């Protein structure tokens, strides 16, 4: 490909490219001129800590030399349609099953997260003979029609009227819960009771699957109360429903363990994955299915497929990525660095505008409030995506970026999810920036009555 100057890149982008989830008119996307490890540089040679790993996928960091080297080998690999057995596809499937929970047996490969969830819906319907699908409010599962219907927030609305039989239930979000539970156990009992009722009202014999991100990610890293996921598992078992965990964001080390489900005491029937499997260096996703689900398709046709299922380039990059995770002990680093991040985030609670911090491994969110006492959010629910006339959250994220801390927000939560290779020093340096920006932000907008507003 002919290399374009930065000016031409930006001009062609403006003229020819449609960007996701945005009004196009005033967009002025940065261009990356250089990138390495946890850093990238824009067209003006300004350096940024990539504190969201692009879209929470760049787990091994930018331009990892071993992955770049792997790309040089790719010319030797024959392209083959999904019907063929290829070394990289076989090896990657084996490696994934070795890392997945013990009950997992086989992998169906896709090209990304949404496609993985779409295929998990189809697999669940085929394997159970049922059609209803449960998923949660405050979840994101992707932008295709199926995954969009699973999604439990505003990015679903453009696929509505939705697919019949897609039912939503509440994510336990205790910080915002109006009921003042005396303990987590009481909250869990409440949420499980409600879910059980919903299953009964919907007719459990028609429910194929319950989809959940074990820790909803882009909706603000909402950590489940203790025992909740295990309780959902029990309900699914009681009614013969498949439990499907969407680990597109959390899979392959993000939370300090290989999969987020490894933090809990249950095994799902399927896990969907994407992003981290190749660290985003090549598009790849998939559905990991349990032994029981895999056996169903021994005698029944798997009525689905994709031209690029198990694509040789992506599966080769996947193998190299998983090797890297082991060789460089990257998941262990995520756990270690996660402890430092946790300390830094907990310290932020002394700020008036920080309502709650949530963290697990290198997966975290800082929830900003206008008023700590009432928990009034910095942006009202549903006012993301250019709808908020006040724009305090956009101001905060822009200030972070101006100071070299690149990330994004969703509703009132700022996501913090750096590459898993981040060092202690880099993490502290980045969090110093975050603290400084927060202090300046409060000075600029915080009034004496401790509520934030625009002057
Ligand atoms: C949990 C989760 N599921 C699914 C998706 C969709 O993945 P993709 O954009 O690769 O289709 C995302 C994307 O952020 C995600 O976070």
């Amino acid at each position: 490909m002919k290399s374009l100057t930065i000016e031409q890149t930006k001009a062609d982008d403006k003229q020819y490219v449609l960007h996701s989830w945005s009004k196009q008119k005033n967009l002025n996307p940065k261009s990356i001129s250089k990138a390495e490890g946890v850093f990238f540089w824009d067209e003006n040679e300004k350096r940024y800590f990539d504190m969201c790993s692009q879209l929470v996928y760049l787990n091994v960091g930018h331009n990892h030399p071993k992955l770049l080297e792997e790309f040089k080998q790719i010319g030797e690999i024959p392209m083959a349609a999904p019907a063929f057995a290829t070394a990289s596809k076989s090896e990657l499937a084996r490696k994934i099953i070795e890392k997945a929970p013990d009950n997992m047996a086989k992998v169906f490969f896709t090209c990304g997260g949404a496609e993985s969830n779409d295929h998990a819906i189809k697999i669940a319907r085929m394997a159970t003979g049922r059609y209803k699908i449960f998923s949660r409010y405050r979840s994101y599962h992707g932008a295709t029609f199926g995954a969009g219907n699973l999604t439990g927030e505003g990015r679903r609305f453009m696929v509505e009227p939705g697919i019949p039989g897609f039912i939503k239930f509440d994510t336990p979000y205790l910080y915002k819960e109006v009921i003042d539970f005396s303990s987590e156990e009481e909250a869990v009992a409440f949420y499980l009771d409600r879910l059980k009722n919903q299953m009964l009202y919907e007719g459990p014999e028609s429910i194929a699957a319950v989809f959940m991100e074990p820790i909803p990610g882009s909706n603000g890293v909402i950590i489940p109360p203790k025992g909740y996921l295990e309780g959902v598992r029990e309900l699914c078992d009681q009614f013969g429903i498949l439990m499907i965990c969407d680990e597109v964001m959390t899979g392959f080390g993000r939370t300090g363990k290989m999969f987020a489900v490894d933090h809990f005491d249950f095994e799902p029937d399927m896990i969907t994955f994407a992003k981290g499997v190749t660290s985003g260096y090549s598009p790849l996703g998939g559905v990991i299915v349990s032994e029981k689900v895999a056996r169903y398709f021994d005698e029944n046709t798997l009525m689905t497929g994709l031209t690029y299922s198990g694509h040789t380039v992506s599966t080769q990059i996947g193998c190299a990525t998983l090797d890297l995770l082991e060789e460089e002990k990257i998941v262990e680093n995520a756990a270690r660095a996660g402890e430092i991040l946790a300390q830094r985030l907990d310290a932020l609670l002394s700020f008036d505008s920080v309502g709650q911090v949530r963290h697990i491994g290198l997966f975290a969110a800082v929830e900003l409030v206008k008023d700590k006492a009432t928990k009034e959010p910095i942006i009202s629910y549903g006012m993301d995506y250019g709808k908020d006339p006040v724009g305090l959250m956009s101001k905060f994220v822009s200030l972070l970026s101006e100071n070299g801390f690149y990330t994004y927000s969703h509703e009132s939560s700022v996501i913090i999810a750096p590459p898993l290779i981040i060092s202690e020093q880099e993490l502290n340096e980045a969090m110093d920036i975050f603290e400084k920006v927060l202090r300046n932000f409060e000075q600029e907008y915080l009034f004496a009555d401790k509520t934030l507003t625009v002057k």
Side-chain angles (χ1 to χ4, degrees):
M1 192 193 94
K2 186 175 79 173
S3 165
L4 295 183
T5 61
I6 293 275
E7 291 71 29
Q8 195 58 51
T9 303
K10 294 192 77 152
D12 284 359
D13 180 276
K14 182 92 200 149
Q15 190 167 350
Y16 300 114
V17 179
L18 277 174
H19 284 263
S20 337
W21 313 115
S22 308
K23 291 177 189 159
Q24 310 292 308
K25 190 171 168 193
N26 294 322
L27 288 181
N28 181 20
K30 296 183 204 315
S31 209
I32 294 182
S33 59
K34 188 171 92 175
E36 194 184 328
V38 299
F39 299 110
F40 69 86
W41 285 257
D42 70 11
E43 62 268 34
N44 302 314
E45 300 303 319
K46 180 178 165 59
R47 192 190 77 167
Y48 298 82
F49 281 92
D50 188 345
M51 294 305 282
C52 56
S53 307
Q54 294 298 295
L55 283 176
V56 195
Y57 59 69
L58 215 53
N59 289 359
V60 306
H62 288 270
N63 280 335
H64 195 293
K66 287 193 182 153
L67 282 192
L68 296 187
E69 194 52 41
E70 195 66 35
F71 274 100
K72 294 191 187 146
Q73 314 294 324
I74 276 166
E76 297 166 19
I77 301 236
M79 291 298 135
F84 292 83
T86 61
S88 57
K89 181 168 58 177
S90 301
E91 187 176 330
L92 183 58
R94 179 176 45 75
K95 282 181 193 295
I96 290 171
I97 293 305
E98 284 167 4
K99 292 180 188 335
D102 290 344
N103 65 328
M104 293 295 164
K106 286 193 172 185
V107 181
F108 177 80
F109 286 108
T110 70
C111 307
E115 269 187 4
S116 302
N117 287 321
D118 277 19
H119 281 79
I121 296 168
K122 291 172 74 176
I123 291 171
R125 285 181 164 188
M126 285 184 267
T128 61
R130 303 171 175 190
Y131 74 98
K132 284 194 178 171
I133 303 285
F134 271 47
S135 62
R136 299 197 287 179
Y137 290 116
R138 291 191 186 273
S139 70
Y140 181 69
H141 294 286
T144 55
F145 206 79
N149 269 269
L150 293 176
T151 290
E153 39 109 322
R155 284 177 283 180
R156 179 182 79 249
F157 298 152
M158 55 296 306
V159 296
E160 290 188 325
I163 303 172
F166 276 58
I167 313 292
K168 297 286 172 300
F169 63 103
D170 261 331
T171 294
Y173 185 28
L174 299 192
Y175 177 63
K176 285 292 179 62
E177 178 54 76
V178 289
I179 303 169
D180 190 14
F181 295 113
S182 63
S183 65
E184 276 198 23
E185 290 72 28
E186 197 182 293
V188 167
F190 170 82
Y191 279 100
L192 291 176
D193 194 48
R194 284 238 303 240
L195 176 58
K196 183 174 180 179
N197 276 342
Q198 249 186 301
M199 287 173 167
L200 289 170
Y201 298 150
E202 290 295 334
E205 64 290 343
S206 63
I207 306 171
V210 169
F211 271 78
M212 49 206 327
E213 297 171 77
I215 301 161
S218 56
N219 276 260
V221 186
I222 305 171
I223 317 253
K226 203 165 165 355
Y228 172 73
L229 293 173
E230 292 81 354
V232 176
R233 174 74 270 182
E234 278 171 28
L235 285 178
C236 288
D237 287 343
Q238 191 180 338
F239 296 125
I241 298 167
L242 297 178
M243 184 175 179
I244 303 176
C245 286
D246 176 345
E247 294 240 21
V248 167
M249 222 176 231
T250 49
F252 303 102
R254 174 55 52 196
T255 64
K257 291 191 190 268
M258 192 55 72
F259 291 99
V261 293
D262 298 340
H263 290 275
F264 306 99
D265 192 16
F266 74 99
E267 287 174 340
D269 296 292
M270 293 187 227
I271 293 176
T272 56
F273 67 88
K275 302 187 188 258
V277 67
T278 58
S279 221
Y281 280 63
S282 190
L284 184 68
V287 187
I288 312 172
V289 306
S290 68
E291 180 73 30
K292 203 165 141 213
V293 174
R295 291 291 73 89
Y296 174 83
F297 293 104
D298 286 345
E299 304 295 339
N300 296 279
T301 306
L302 178 67
M303 282 299 289
T304 192
L306 292 164
T307 295
Y308 300 129
S309 177
H311 190 275
T312 42
V313 172
S314 294
T315 48
Q316 183 174 345
I317 297 300
C319 287
T321 306
L322 298 200
D323 286 348
L324 259 186
L325 295 188
E326 273 174 23
E327 285 161 27
E328 301 191 355
K329 301 201 178 333
I330 288 175
V331 184
E332 290 82 342
N333 190 63
R336 214 172 22 250
E339 286 172 20
I340 299 160
L341 180 61
Q343 287 167 15
R344 295 297 307 249
L345 291 172
D346 290 345
L348 295 180
L349 286 169
S350 60
F351 283 83
D352 289 311
S353 57
V354 175
Q356 198 185 37
V357 293
R358 298 181 286 271
H359 44 73
I360 180 164
L362 287 174
F363 199 37
V366 177
E367 177 146 353
L368 297 182
V369 285
K370 283 186 185 164
D371 183 326
K372 208 160 180 154
T374 63
K375 300 181 183 174
E376 186 190 343
I378 198 163
I379 175 169
S380 309
Y381 187 80
M383 296 304 277
D384 256 352
Y385 303 106
K387 290 192 213 139
D388 178 25
V390 183
L392 269 180
M393 189 45 124
S394 333
K395 274 188 182 39
F396 183 68
V397 173
S398 303
L399 277 176
L400 282 175
S401 178
E402 279 165 30
N403 283 273
F405 186 113
Y406 176 80
T407 190
Y408 65 95
S409 63
H410 181 87
E411 303 289 347
S412 43
S413 294
V414 183
I415 306 296
I416 302 184
L420 309 184
I421 47 134
I422 195 165
S423 70
E424 185 174 338
Q425 194 191 334
E426 288 164 341
L427 187 55
N428 277 319
E429 221 182 293
M431 290 312 295
D432 288 346
I433 299 176
F434 192 94
E435 252 186 68
K436 186 183 87 183
V437 169
L438 195 53
R439 200 166 296 116
N440 293 344
F441 182 67
E442 288 198 349
Q443 272 166 13
E444 180 83 356
Y445 299 110
L446 187 63
F447 285 165
D449 66 355
K450 302 266 185 248
T451 61
L452 282 171
T453 185
V454 177
K455 278 180 187 167

